[in-house]
């Protein structure tokens, strides 16, 4: 059976993508995760939303020897989707070495495995953080990359370069780099969503946790040069991101790709400020959210949103969800977690 390896498959975007792969393709799916920011419960949630079994491997991708040993049981691997990475901008500023070590070594090891086993199709989770504080809004894939604002963003810039050089020396290897903007929201069922083991520092989980009484929201800065003073981001529903991976896989496997190393922005194209995101949440849940205004956060870019025309035309990918849908699904998920806790 043709096999797809998904690294970071127990994580937020990985788990939503596995749900789509199991429901919409016939590939055997093998998830690799070390649960550094997730838990095996994620696999139970995937199983509850799908009807096919999938395989799981618990291994740290930085452990080269063990990784190769555990993967040696699988043959006919036709593609790798590499999600596994640390992803917190603020953590990366506090502990840069941890980010360079994990994000770069895991990529090197999985690329080395691909080379040894002749796996030819590779999809990589990049980020809009590679653009830094771009003056070119909306950013296109050709916008010049500015200096990264955080070690996290820098690891994504370095990773893109590693993959690009790897492609040059391995001409049959084909890759799609997906630059996610800000993935948020949850599965429409409300039964899978972001479940970080470490304290979340992304906006949407903090909004929903604040509304349910488990956290308190501070808006990081209201004195930026933006329409309401708060930072602007391009929030994109996690299921739209998952869908883009299926389209990227098809693009590679069906040989529709025009370049050996293709690059796509995954955003809606709409910039939404932090205060507008809060208003959307208040509107769809019909409640007032209590928050305070705080200092700017180190490492934040001021404003970024995507030109997504290339993904639309080349991958045939059209985002389906707007900011209200994203907030509603995230709220449904937060309530689901609360129900589980009180059972
Ligand atoms: C960054 C990356 C994004 C990546 C994500 C992974 C950029 C531009 N984006 O998102 O591609 O997927 O990391 O973690 O680098 N905020 C508050 N209060 C809070 C939390 C956040 O005001 O308690 C604000 C932030 O200042 C920011 C916005 O909300 O303006 C979004 O922040 P967050 O959700 O943490 O994502 P980014 O750091 O933008």
């Amino acid at each position: 059976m043709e096999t797809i390896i998904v690294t970071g498959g127990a994580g937020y975007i990985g788990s939503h993508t596995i749900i789509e792969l199991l429901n919409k393709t016939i590939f055997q799916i093998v998830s690799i995760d070390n649960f550094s920011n997730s838990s095996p419960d994620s696999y139970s949630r995937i199983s509850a939303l799908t009807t096919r079994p999938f395989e799981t491997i618990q291994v740290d991708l930085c452990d080269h020897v063990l990784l190769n040993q555990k993967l040696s049981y699988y043959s006919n691997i036709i593609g790798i989707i590499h999600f596994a990475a640390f992803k917190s901008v603020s953590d990366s500023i506090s502990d840069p070495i941890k980010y360079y070590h994990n994000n770069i070594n895991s990529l090197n090891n999985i690329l080395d495995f691909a080379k040894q086993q002749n796996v030819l199709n590779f999809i990589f989770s990049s980020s809009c953080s590679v653009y830094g504080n771009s003056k070119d809004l909306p950013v296109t894939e050709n916008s010049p990359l500015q200096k990264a604002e955080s070690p996290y963003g820098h690891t994504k810039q370095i990773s893109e370069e590693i993959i690009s050089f790897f492609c040059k020396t391995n001409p049959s290897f084909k890759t799609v780099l997906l630059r996610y903007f800000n993935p948020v929201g949850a599965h429409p069922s409300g039964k899978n969503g972001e479940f970080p083991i470490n304290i979340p520092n992304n906006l949407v989980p903090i909004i929903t946790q604040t509304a349910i009484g488990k956290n308190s929201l501070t808006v990081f800065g209201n004195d930026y040069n933006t329409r309401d003073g708060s930072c602007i981001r391009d929030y994109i529903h996690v299921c739209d991101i998952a869908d883009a991976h299926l389209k990227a896989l098809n693009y590679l496997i069906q040989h529709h790709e025009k370049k050996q190393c293709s690059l796509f922005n995954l955003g809606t194209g709409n910039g939404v400020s932090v205060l507008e995101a809060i208003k959307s949440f208040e509107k769809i849940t019909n409640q007032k959210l209590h928050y305070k205004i705080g200092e700017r956060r180190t490492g934040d870019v001021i404003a970024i949103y995507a030109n997504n025309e290339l993904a639309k035309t080349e991958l045939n990918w059209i985002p389906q969800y707007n900011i209200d849908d994203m907030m509603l699904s995230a709220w449904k998920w937060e309530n689901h977690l609360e129900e589980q806790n009180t059972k």
Side-chain angles (χ1 to χ4, degrees):
M1 203 192 241
E2 290 183 321
T3 298
I4 303 290
I5 303 284
V6 179
T7 76
Y12 176 43
I13 306 176
S15 62
H16 284 87
T17 303
I18 291 183
I19 292 168
E20 294 294 296
L21 287 164
L22 291 171
N23 286 340
K24 295 187 182 155
T25 75
I26 55 166
F27 300 122
Q28 165 171 256
I29 304 302
V30 179
S31 171
I32 304 180
D33 210 299
N34 65 348
F35 307 123
S36 65
N37 194 24
S38 60
S39 86
D41 293 347
S42 174
Y43 291 146
S44 315
R45 293 196 289 268
I46 295 174
S47 298
L49 293 166
T50 54
T51 50
R52 288 203 292 133
F54 61 103
E55 306 259 319
T56 64
I57 297 174
Q58 184 174 352
V59 70
D60 184 341
L61 285 156
C62 292
D63 188 336
H64 193 233
V65 174
L66 197 58
L67 175 69
N68 286 301
Q69 194 185 315
K70 297 238 180 187
L71 280 175
S72 64
Y73 298 101
Y74 298 96
S75 55
N76 204 12
I77 301 170
I78 61 155
I80 296 173
I81 308 182
H82 181 47
F83 291 107
F86 291 153
K87 61 154 203 174
S88 159
V89 169
S90 41
D91 269 6
S92 78
I93 289 167
S94 326
D95 195 348
I97 301 300
K98 179 176 141 189
Y99 271 70
Y100 288 107
H101 172 79
N102 184 66
N103 291 4
I104 306 299
N105 285 333
S106 56
L107 172 66
N108 287 344
N109 288 344
I110 200 75
L111 284 176
D112 189 54
F113 168 79
K115 186 178 165 89
Q116 303 309 327
Q117 299 302 316
N118 204 26
V119 182
L120 299 181
N121 301 301
F122 191 81
I123 300 175
F124 177 68
S125 304
S126 191
S127 160
C128 67
S129 54
V130 298
Y131 293 111
N133 257 315
S134 181
K135 288 171 194 69
D136 232 11
L137 292 178
V139 285
T140 74
E141 290 77 357
N142 293 324
S143 297
L145 305 190
Q146 306 297 327
K147 188 175 163 300
E149 289 293 309
S150 67
Y152 163 74
H154 194 209
T155 65
K156 294 295 178 186
Q157 290 180 337
I158 297 170
S159 298
E160 288 193 357
E161 286 185 47
I162 291 174
I163 295 168
S164 158
F165 280 118
F166 183 84
C167 281
K168 286 187 185 143
T169 51
N170 296 277
S172 355
F173 188 75
K174 295 176 301 173
T175 182
V176 168
L177 311 180
L178 297 175
R179 289 181 176 160
Y180 312 153
F181 280 65
N182 280 52
V184 298
H187 193 270
S189 64
K191 297 201 168 116
N192 190 39
E194 186 158 19
F195 193 69
I197 296 300
N198 306 318
I199 299 162
N201 47 30
N202 292 119
L203 179 66
V204 175
I206 294 178
I207 288 180
T208 57
Q209 287 189 354
T210 301
I212 218 147
K214 290 199 296 208
N215 210 330
S216 59
L217 173 66
T218 300
V219 172
F220 296 139
N222 68 347
D223 57 352
Y224 285 100
N225 184 18
T226 59
R227 52 183 174 260
D228 62 17
S230 64
C231 290
I232 292 180
R233 296 288 183 274
D234 187 340
Y235 297 94
I236 173 85
H237 196 287
V238 65
C239 291
D240 278 328
I241 296 267
D243 176 50
H245 288 77
L246 267 65
K247 299 213 152 98
L249 197 56
N250 187 50
Y251 183 74
L252 290 172
I253 292 171
Q254 304 292 324
H255 305 289
H256 292 313
E257 84 287 350
K258 296 194 178 124
K259 292 194 224 153
Q260 194 191 351
C261 183
S262 308
L263 186 60
F264 299 104
N265 281 343
L266 296 185
T268 60
N270 302 315
V272 172
S273 75
V274 176
L275 295 172
E276 287 163 353
I278 293 172
K279 282 197 195 100
S280 159
F281 179 82
E282 291 182 326
K283 183 181 79 184
I284 60 99
T285 61
N286 201 20
Q287 63 176 304
K288 188 99 198 83
L289 191 71
H290 297 285
Y291 60 89
K292 61 179 190 202
I293 304 290
E295 296 291 307
R296 292 179 177 197
R297 182 173 69 173
T298 313
D300 267 336
V301 302
I302 303 162
I304 191 150
Y305 50 97
N307 174 316
N308 60 9
E309 287 307 314
L310 198 62
K312 281 185 179 160
T313 50
E314 291 290 310
L315 296 181
N316 201 17
W317 173 76
I318 314 276
Q320 303 295 318
Y321 300 90
N322 64 26
I323 187 73
D324 292 348
D325 305 325
M326 298 177 212
M327 290 295 176
L328 188 60
S329 61
W331 183 230
K332 213 167 161 185
W333 165 240
E334 189 67 62
N335 281 288
H336 175 75
L337 285 175
E338 189 65 9
E339 272 165 34
Q340 302 292 103
N341 284 342
T342 48
K343 259 186 198 165

